[in-house]
Amino acid sequence: MQDFCNSTDFEGGWDVLDTPEGLAGWLADHGHPAAAPLGQSDVERAITFREALRDACAVGAEDAGETRARGRAYLNEASRDLPLHVNLSEEGAALEPVADGLPGALAAMLGALAAGHADGTAARLKACEAHSCRWVFYDQSRNGSSRWCTMRLCGARSKNRAYRMRLRESSG
Ligand SMILES: [Zn+2]
């Protein structure tokens, strides 16, 4: 799921999924090869779903709660068309996709997200607060309070910006 969200780089301006060929390649690489050729509507579906996942991981900003709610609402709606089944085993219960290709990949991500909510790890999946970044990262910090993908890059950048703003305010 993290891989899927990070298949684009807003800063670098590239997006692996923005062509049918790119999307097909990504799906094949991640165990969900598409049986039929993909089209532009599949590209749009994948990207809309990806950005809803990213929204569902929003943190930090004042409106992060609203962004998360918007992302979740989209995913809840999308899940109606994504076939998942319950696989019970000695290890526990897993939600697994029934379909192949793009629907299978999207369903698998919802299954993983549901599992993450069940064991509490979903709260640590976050979209970097830096607007230009929004990379989805797993917060490894002890108290789960990270807001940026890396303190060195995005955290420092954001702190510098706040510092410059303060300077401007105090001098103005
Ligand atoms: Zn970042």
Side-chain angles (χ1 to χ4, degrees):
M1 195 195 119
Q2 217 176 333
D3 249 18
F4 185 68
C5 288
N6 294 338
S7 58
T8 183
D9 184 339
F10 296 115
E11 219 156 331
W14 51 261
D15 189 341
V16 176
L17 307 184
D18 68 358
T19 62
E21 296 74 30
L23 175 59
W26 192 92
L27 290 170
D29 287 346
H30 291 79
H32 301 280
L38 300 174
Q40 198 54 37
S41 62
D42 297 304
V43 166
E44 277 157 31
R45 184 182 185 190
I47 291 179
T48 308
F49 191 95
R50 181 185 67 195
E51 297 318 312
L53 278 175
R54 194 185 315 281
D55 283 348
C57 296
V59 289
E62 245 170 73
D63 58 352
E66 286 162 44
T67 305
R68 282 198 300 276
R70 196 169 55 233
R72 282 197 303 263
Y74 178 87
L75 297 174
N76 287 341
E77 192 58 37
S79 77
R80 294 167 188 268
D81 302 320
L82 295 170
L84 282 166
H85 76 147
V86 177
N87 187 1
L88 298 169
S89 68
E90 289 293 323
E91 284 72 44
L95 287 171
E96 292 174 353
V98 184
D100 296 323
L102 180 60
L106 301 185
M109 283 183 261
L110 287 184
L113 197 56
H117 277 285
D119 67 13
T121 53
R124 284 184 173 258
L125 213 48
K126 301 177 177 180
C128 178
E129 194 186 323
H131 276 291
S132 57
C133 177
R134 303 204 72 215
W135 196 259
V136 171
F137 67 101
Y138 188 78
D139 182 357
Q140 311 263 16
S141 68
R142 194 178 310 189
N143 54 2
S145 62
S146 290
R147 292 155 63 191
W148 298 285
C149 61
T150 59
M151 202 53 210
R152 194 168 55 81
L153 291 173
C154 288
R157 210 182 286 154
S158 158
K159 289 213 158 134
N160 279 336
R161 201 175 305 132
Y163 176 70
R164 282 202 303 272
M165 298 258 285
R166 268 199 309 274
L167 276 185
R168 208 176 309 152
E169 276 163 21
S170 60
S171 69

Coordinates of all heavy atoms in Angstrom, one line a residue, residues 11 127-137 147-151 153-155 157, ligand 1:
E11 N 7.0 16.3 -6.1 CA 8.1 17.2 -6.2 C 8.9 16.9 -7.5 O 9.3 17.8 -8.3 CB 9.1 17.0 -5.1 CG 9.6 18.3 -4.5 CD 10.0 18.1 -3.1 OE1 9.4 17.3 -2.4 OE2 10.9 18.8 -2.7
A127 N 0.8 10.5 5.6 CA 1.2 11.2 4.5 C 2.0 12.4 5.0 O 1.5 13.1 5.8 CB 0.0 11.7 3.7
C128 N 3.2 12.5 4.5 CA 4.1 13.6 4.9 C 3.4 15.0 4.9 O 2.7 15.3 3.9 CB 5.3 13.7 4.0 SG 6.5 15.0 4.4
E129 N 3.5 15.7 5.9 CA 2.8 17.0 6.0 C 3.2 18.0 5.0 O 2.5 19.0 4.7 CB 2.9 17.5 7.5 CG 2.0 18.6 7.8 CD 2.2 19.2 9.1 OE1 2.6 18.5 10.0 OE2 2.1 20.4 9.3
A130 N 4.5 17.9 4.5 CA 5.0 18.9 3.6 C 4.1 18.8 2.3 O 4.0 17.8 1.7 CB 6.4 18.6 3.2
H131 N 3.5 20.0 1.9 CA 2.6 20.0 0.8 C 3.2 19.5 -0.5 O 2.6 18.8 -1.3 CB 2.0 21.3 0.6 CG 0.8 21.6 1.5 ND1 -0.4 20.9 1.3 CD2 0.7 22.4 2.5 CE1 -1.2 21.3 2.2 NE2 -0.6 22.2 3.0
S132 N 4.5 19.8 -0.7 CA 5.2 19.5 -1.9 C 5.6 18.0 -1.9 O 6.0 17.5 -2.9 CB 6.4 20.3 -2.1 OG 7.2 20.2 -1.0
C133 N 5.4 17.3 -0.8 CA 5.9 15.9 -0.7 C 4.8 14.9 -0.6 O 4.6 14.2 -1.6 CB 6.8 15.8 0.6 SG 7.5 14.2 0.9
R134 N 4.1 14.9 0.5 CA 3.0 14.0 0.7 C 3.3 12.5 0.5 O 2.4 11.7 0.2 CB 1.7 14.4 -0.1 CG 1.3 15.9 0.1 CD -0.1 16.1 -0.2 NE -1.0 15.5 0.8 CZ -2.1 15.0 0.5 NH1 -2.6 15.0 -0.7 NH2 -2.9 14.4 1.5
W135 N 4.6 12.2 0.6 CA 5.0 10.8 0.6 C 4.4 10.0 1.7 O 4.3 10.6 2.8 CB 6.5 10.8 0.8 CG 7.3 9.6 0.4 CD1 7.8 8.7 1.3 CD2 7.7 9.2 -0.9 NE1 8.4 7.7 0.5 CE2 8.4 8.0 -0.8 CE3 7.5 9.8 -2.2 CZ2 9.0 7.3 -1.9 CZ3 8.0 9.1 -3.3 CH2 8.8 7.9 -3.1
V136 N 3.9 8.8 1.5 CA 3.4 8.0 2.6 C 4.5 7.2 3.3 O 5.2 6.5 2.6 CB 2.2 7.2 2.1 CG1 1.7 6.2 3.2 CG2 1.0 8.0 1.7
F137 N 4.6 7.4 4.6 CA 5.6 6.7 5.3 C 5.1 6.0 6.6 O 4.0 6.4 7.0 CB 6.7 7.7 5.7 CG 6.3 8.8 6.7 CD1 6.6 8.6 8.1 CD2 5.5 9.9 6.4 CE1 6.2 9.6 9.0 CE2 5.1 10.8 7.3 CZ 5.4 10.7 8.6
R147 N 5.6 13.7 11.7 CA 4.7 14.4 10.8 C 5.3 14.5 9.4 O 4.6 14.8 8.4 CB 4.3 15.8 11.3 CG 3.5 15.8 12.5 CD 3.6 17.0 13.3 NE 3.1 18.2 12.6 CZ 3.4 19.4 13.0 NH1 4.0 19.6 14.1 NH2 2.9 20.5 12.3
W148 N 6.6 14.2 9.3 CA 7.3 14.3 8.0 C 7.9 13.0 7.7 O 8.4 12.3 8.6 CB 8.3 15.5 8.1 CG 7.7 16.8 8.3 CD1 7.0 17.5 7.4 CD2 7.7 17.5 9.5 NE1 6.5 18.7 7.9 CE2 6.9 18.7 9.2 CE3 8.2 17.3 10.8 CZ2 6.7 19.7 10.2 CZ3 8.0 18.3 11.7 CH2 7.2 19.5 11.4
C149 N 8.1 12.8 6.4 CA 8.7 11.5 6.0 C 10.1 11.4 6.5 O 10.5 10.3 7.0 CB 8.6 11.3 4.5 SG 9.5 12.6 3.5
T150 N 10.9 12.5 6.4 CA 12.2 12.5 7.0 C 12.4 13.8 7.6 O 12.1 14.9 7.0 CB 13.4 12.3 5.9 OG1 13.2 13.4 5.0 CG2 13.3 11.0 5.2
M151 N 12.9 13.8 8.8 CA 13.2 15.1 9.5 C 14.2 15.9 8.7 O 14.2 17.1 8.6 CB 13.7 14.8 10.9 CG 13.5 15.9 11.9 SD 11.8 16.5 11.9 CE 12.0 18.2 12.3
L153 N 14.9 16.0 5.5 CA 14.5 16.8 4.3 C 13.3 17.6 4.6 O 13.3 18.8 4.8 CB 14.2 15.8 3.2 CG 15.5 15.1 2.6 CD1 15.0 14.0 1.6 CD2 16.3 16.1 1.9
C154 N 12.1 16.9 4.7 CA 10.9 17.7 4.8 C 10.7 18.4 6.1 O 10.2 19.5 6.2 CB 9.7 16.7 4.6 SG 9.6 16.3 2.8
G155 N 11.1 17.8 7.2 CA 11.0 18.4 8.5 C 11.8 19.7 8.6 O 11.3 20.7 9.0
R157 N 13.0 21.4 6.1 CA 12.4 22.4 5.1 C 11.3 23.2 5.8 O 11.2 24.4 5.7 CB 11.9 21.6 3.9 CG 12.1 22.4 2.7 CD 11.5 21.6 1.5 NE 12.3 20.5 1.1 CZ 11.9 19.4 0.5 NH1 10.6 19.2 0.3 NH2 12.7 18.4 0.1
Ligands
ZN1 ZN 8.2 14.5 3.0

